[in-house]
Amino acid sequence: MEEKKLKTTTAWLLIATALFFDILQIPMDFLLVGWTVTIVATMTFWLVFKFHGYNFLKPKRLAGSLAAIVVDFIPFLGWFAWTVSITIFVLKNKIEEKVPGASIAKL
């Protein structure tokens, strides 16, 4: 399946959804059930990106998504892991869309 471009509205909705999950996780961590938010967020973003044709089995994407999941399971440290991870992913895609061959790592 070919990767579709992320529209600007879709990108903002993804970032807002990530922020929602991260804010929801804060009180859930105090109740010791924050891990449930991580599972739901993982499934949500996997599904959305799958619908847009993105494959997370590519090495860089797999490393980034696994890092976000692992950090998110650590209380306090992972409170904004989803927001940071999704924002980096969206920015990387938007930069590559505007300048083919460009990389956020080169900036």
Side-chain angles (χ1 to χ4, degrees):
M1 178 181 261
E2 186 179 321
E3 294 179 358
K4 299 176 190 174
K5 292 181 182 179
L6 287 176
K7 295 180 183 176
T8 304
T9 51
T10 305
W12 280 110
L13 285 172
L14 284 169
I15 294 169
T17 303
L19 188 61
F20 168 76
F21 281 128
D22 284 335
I23 290 172
L24 178 65
Q25 188 166 4
I26 294 171
M28 299 296 269
D29 275 344
F30 287 110
L31 299 172
L32 302 176
V33 290
W35 56 271
T36 57
V37 176
T38 300
I39 292 170
V40 172
T42 302
M43 291 187 308
T44 301
F45 290 120
W46 177 81
L47 190 64
V48 168
F49 287 124
K50 198 68 172 169
F51 283 152
H52 281 84
Y54 288 95
N55 181 6
F56 280 96
L57 294 180
K58 292 182 180 179
K60 286 184 182 180
R61 288 189 190 150
L62 184 61
S65 58
L66 288 177
I69 292 168
V70 169
V71 169
D72 203 36
F73 271 110
I74 302 169
F76 305 110
L77 183 61
W79 279 352
F80 292 99
W82 282 113
T83 304
V84 171
S85 176
I86 297 298
T87 302
I88 289 171
F89 181 80
V90 167
L91 286 175
K92 182 179 150 306
N93 282 338
K94 286 296 185 183
I95 288 171
E96 288 175 354
E97 199 176 287
K98 301 287 183 195
V99 183
S103 173
I104 197 168
K106 293 179 185 177
L107 294 178

